[in-house]
């Protein structure tokens, strides 16, 4: 079966612009979560969605937002880009969000470079 | 959120077993122990998870201490493809709580031919 698909894979933006990243989860998975990975901070949780509702949000400024659609696809948006937003943005999907035994499947990520 | 402690790096020779340790002294009774790994230029990949008993799958084995304050991921025969960053993560098992993963720095495994 198809894995988690993230688009675009690479993109370059300039400071002040905004960006939208897309994630298509595995068929049948209703939970999508987003993570930011940087060399300095490692992997950090951004948000988590289930059935179009945001269930949890990480410690990021309001410039970072997301949403989930009825088909479970998700998008995240970063407005007023800063140099420090340069990172690999990873999306993960799972069948649900709240079971401790639940396994996440990650996409390959979207590499954002802010100049 | 309960924390885990792992060595920053480990080395292994190809085709030898590898034991990757993880300490989680503040684990709660409902926390699951998960292991993920991240190969270069890829997203993290699920390896194995367990609650109290030792677990085996096609990729690895997970040995959990009797008091659950530590665990060990065992790769039975390391290959060059196993060179990756390995993350030990505690996942809250209480229904309705968040499913987010809290990643530490992980252990970078180097496999020598």
């Amino acid at each position: 079966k198809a894995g988690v698909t993230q688009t675009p894979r690479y993109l370059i933006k300039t400071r002040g612009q905004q960006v939208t990243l897309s994630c298509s989860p595995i068929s049948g998975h209703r939970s999508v979560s987003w993570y930011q990975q940087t060399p300095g901070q490692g992997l950090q949780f951004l948000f988590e969605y289930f059935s179009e509702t945001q269930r949890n949000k990480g410690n990021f400024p309001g410039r970072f937002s997301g949403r989930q659609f009825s088909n479970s696809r998700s998008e995240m948006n970063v407005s007023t880009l800063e140099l420090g937003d340069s990172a690999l943005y990873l999306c993960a999907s799972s069948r649900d969000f709240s079971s401790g035994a639940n396994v996440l499947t990650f996409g390959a990520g979207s590499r954002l470079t802010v100049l | 959120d309960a924390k885990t402690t792992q060595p920053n790096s480990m080395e292994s020779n190809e085709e030898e077993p590898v034991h990757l340790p993880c300490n989680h002294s503040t684990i709660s009774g409902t926390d699951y122990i998960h292991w993920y790994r991240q190969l270069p230029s890829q997203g993290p990949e699920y390896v194995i998870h367990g609650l109290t008993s030792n677990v085996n799958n096609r990729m690895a084995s997970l040995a959990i201490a009797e008091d659950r304050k530590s665990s060990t991921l065992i790769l039975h025969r390391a290959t060059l493809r196993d060179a990756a960053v390995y993350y030990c993560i505690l996942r809250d098992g209480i229904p309705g709580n968040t499913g987010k993963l809290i990643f530490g720095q992980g252990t970078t495994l180097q496999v020598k031919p």
Side-chain angles (χ1 to χ4, degrees):
Chain A
K1 58 182 178 181
V4 177
T5 304
Q6 292 188 245
T7 57
R9 288 293 314 279
Y10 303 92
L11 66 166
I12 299 174
K13 294 285 187 178
T14 57
R15 280 179 297 176
Q17 287 187 311
Q18 73 165 9
V19 66
T20 299
L21 308 177
S22 179
C23 173
S24 293
I26 289 174
S27 178
H29 284 192
R30 296 168 61 193
S31 176
V32 172
S33 51
W34 289 88
Y35 293 80
Q36 181 197 63
Q37 185 171 30
T38 59
Q41 298 298 317
L43 277 151
Q44 293 186 288
F45 171 77
L46 278 160
F47 357 80
E48 173 182 54
Y49 289 89
F50 181 78
S51 295
E52 302 177 66
T53 301
Q54 187 179 89
R55 299 291 178 172
N56 201 4
K57 189 175 190 298
N59 188 26
F60 280 82
R63 300 185 296 106
F64 290 81
S65 62
R67 59 179 177 170
Q68 185 181 34
F69 302 97
S70 58
N71 62 358
S72 294
R73 191 177 69 84
S74 177
E75 289 181 347
M76 66 163 285
N77 182 275
V78 187
S79 62
T80 319
L81 284 166
E82 301 177 0
L83 295 178
D85 297 333
S86 295
L88 180 66
Y89 290 88
L90 291 157
C91 167
S93 77
S94 60
R95 292 193 181 278
D96 63 54
F97 77 100
S98 64
S99 166
N102 209 23
V103 170
L104 270 62
T105 302
F106 284 82
S110 293
R111 171 76 63 186
L112 170 65
T113 300
V114 181
L115 302 177
Chain B
D1 298 311
K3 298 289 191 292
T4 64
T5 304
Q6 301 175 252
N8 287 333
S9 63
M10 291 185 65
E11 289 184 356
S12 172
N13 294 318
E14 198 175 10
E15 298 190 2
E16 289 186 354
V18 182
H19 291 233
L20 297 166
C22 180
N23 287 319
H24 29 79
S25 58
T26 59
I27 191 171
S28 73
T30 56
D31 285 339
Y32 284 75
I33 302 161
H34 285 248
W35 284 81
Y36 284 75
R37 71 180 185 182
Q38 187 171 21
L39 280 66
S41 303
Q42 295 187 26
E45 172 188 37
Y46 166 78
V47 178
I48 200 167
H49 77 278
L51 183 60
T52 56
S53 304
N54 295 344
V55 184
N56 299 295
N57 65 21
R58 64 175 180 82
M59 290 181 69
S61 295
L62 176 60
I64 301 173
E66 195 169 332
D67 63 5
R68 300 187 72 233
K69 294 182 184 295
S70 66
S71 60
T72 302
L73 178 70
I74 303 166
L75 306 179
H76 297 287
R77 289 185 66 199
T79 68
L80 296 178
R81 194 193 172 278
D82 291 322
V85 179
Y86 286 79
Y87 297 99
C88 170
I89 301 162
L90 299 183
R91 192 130 196 251
D92 190 347
I94 297 177
N97 283 0
T98 179
K100 70 180 181 181
L101 299 181
I102 299 177
F103 288 86
Q105 294 305 307
T107 297
T108 300
L109 175 65
Q110 182 181 6
V111 180
K112 298 180 178 179

